[in-house]
Every structure is written in C-alpha cells, then in structure tokens.
Amino acid sequence: MAARRNTGGIFGVLELLDKYEDEIEYDLLSVGLDLYEIGREGARTTWRHVLAVTRCHHPDTALARAIDPERAAWQVNVELLAQLQDTLSMLAWNLGGQHGAKPKRIPRPGTKGETTTYGGGESWTPESFDRWLDEMTEN
C-alpha cells in the first residue's frame, strides 16, 4: 500500500503503526489494551481504540515523545517556571535601572528564536502618553 499524506481514520493509524508501532503498543498496554489481540475472537481492543489512542494522546505518552520530543518534554509546569524566570529577570533588570543587556526570554519549543517587536521601537515619556491619552478621550 502506498503511503498517503494527512490520511485519517484507519489508514492514518496504519501509517502511524508503520513508523511508531512500539510506542503505540506501549501506550495501549498502559491503558490495559493489547494491539495484537485485534481481530481475535473475544478481543477487547478494537481499531477504534487504536484510533482514539493515536488521536488523543497527551504529551507524556510514548507516541507524543516519539513524534515531537521537544514539545513533549515541555510540560505545563516547565512553561510556568520559564514564565516565572522571565518575569523575575525582567523585574530585576527594571529595578536595577535597566543597566546591561535586556534579559532574553527562555526559548520555548517551536519558536526557533522568533521574537516580536511592538511599537516600532519608539519610547514614550509619561507626559507624551498623557497627551496621547487626552487626545484619544476627547473624541
């Protein structure tokens, strides 16, 4: 059978099994199902179970770690710690008079060092902001 791109349903499961058979088997076993009993009389595991496990896997499953190891390693607690570190670094830099290089954010998976700049680099004094706010509220 020729491999298809973006195949869904059972064909998609078969493609995943070609590449990640051990991981899918492990994930099924961890929920009490057996990949190799499909089609046998009295089997509890169905193709629908395999489809559900492959479509609805969470980041700490073997399949998720095999497909995208970097993202699977980046759990919610790690994201929260990174946000806390970024915030504390920026706070210390601001309280320290903004001397030295501005702290860089901890890189997140999938960002590849991308940054976004807002405002075109212009800075406002409190007075210029007040003038702008007055102009905006006059209308």
Side-chain angles (χ1 to χ4, degrees):
M1 171 187 343
R4 298 189 209 173
R5 292 190 77 103
N6 300 324
T7 310
I10 299 304
F11 289 115
V13 169
L14 292 173
E15 286 183 10
L16 283 172
L17 280 168
D18 276 345
K19 191 168 185 181
Y20 304 109
E21 182 178 352
D22 291 340
E23 292 84 357
I24 293 170
E25 180 184 9
Y26 180 86
D27 290 341
L28 284 167
L29 288 171
S30 70
V31 294
L33 299 173
D34 183 357
L35 177 63
Y36 299 105
E37 73 173 13
I38 294 176
R40 294 184 183 168
E41 191 170 327
R44 291 183 332 119
T45 308
T46 66
W47 283 111
R48 177 73 184 123
H49 292 129
V50 180
L51 180 65
V53 165
T54 58
R55 280 189 178 167
C56 303
H57 63 275
H58 46 84
D60 61 343
T61 61
L63 181 59
R65 288 190 302 270
I67 291 172
D68 191 351
E70 185 180 357
R71 188 167 301 279
W74 197 262
Q75 300 289 322
V76 172
N77 58 339
V78 177
E79 172 65 27
L80 292 173
L81 286 171
Q83 288 180 13
L84 180 62
Q85 173 61 37
D86 292 342
T87 302
L88 290 175
S89 295
M90 188 60 75
L91 178 63
W93 182 71
N94 280 313
L95 291 176
Q98 299 181 355
H99 297 293
K102 185 176 182 179
K104 295 184 190 254
R105 291 186 51 173
I106 294 174
R108 285 8 182 224
T111 60
K112 296 183 179 130
E114 300 163 6
T115 60
T116 304
T117 303
Y118 299 98
E122 60 192 57
S123 60
W124 289 23
T125 64
E127 295 78 22
S128 63
F129 178 77
D130 288 340
R131 282 193 301 276
W132 175 82
L133 187 60
D134 288 341
E135 291 173 10
M136 295 304 292
T137 56
E138 286 175 3
N139 296 331

